[in-house]
Amino acid sequence: MFYSLPLEDTATVATLRKQFGKKLRAIRKRHNRTQEQFAELLDISVDFLSLIERGLNAPSFESIESFSITLGIPVRDFFDFSPDPQPKP
């Protein structure tokens, strides 16, 4: 049986993809890596990383687990969408 998400749930999924992409971009920048370097580290294509960061695509749970292991950060950190503290000048 095929299940279709209601429109309001679809918007939530799109928002989640965008938030996840912003978070992954912030993590990449904290590691001082270009997209090319980060994609190589995570063993994904630069195109796929770009799609994720722009919220147009999302990695699988298995990929997120692999990112977590590679980067040495808990999976939950990828889903902590609270604003990162700003560095003091």
Side-chain angles (χ1 to χ4, degrees):
M1 178 177 202
F2 180 74
Y3 176 74
S4 174
L5 291 173
L7 185 56
E8 61 274 4
D9 288 343
T10 303
T12 302
V13 170
T15 300
L16 180 61
R17 273 197 311 264
K18 285 189 180 292
Q19 289 174 317
F20 184 90
K22 284 178 66 174
K23 184 64 172 195
L24 190 60
R25 179 181 293 125
I27 291 169
R28 173 175 63 82
K29 290 185 176 193
R30 273 201 310 269
H31 281 81
N32 295 314
R33 302 280 180 130
T34 64
Q35 281 189 331
E36 291 82 7
Q37 294 166 331
F38 206 58
E40 184 176 341
L41 178 68
L42 298 178
D43 197 28
I44 60 175
S45 72
V46 176
D47 289 337
F48 187 50
L49 177 58
S50 177
L51 289 170
I52 294 169
E53 287 189 355
R54 290 182 288 145
L56 300 176
N57 209 330
S60 67
F61 289 125
E62 290 81 6
S63 293
I64 294 169
E65 180 181 43
S66 176
F67 298 171
S68 170
I69 292 166
T70 300
L71 298 170
I73 61 175
V75 169
R76 72 176 171 271
D77 287 4
F78 291 99
F79 297 94
D80 178 3
F81 302 134
S82 58
D84 287 335
Q86 297 298 317
K88 294 181 182 178

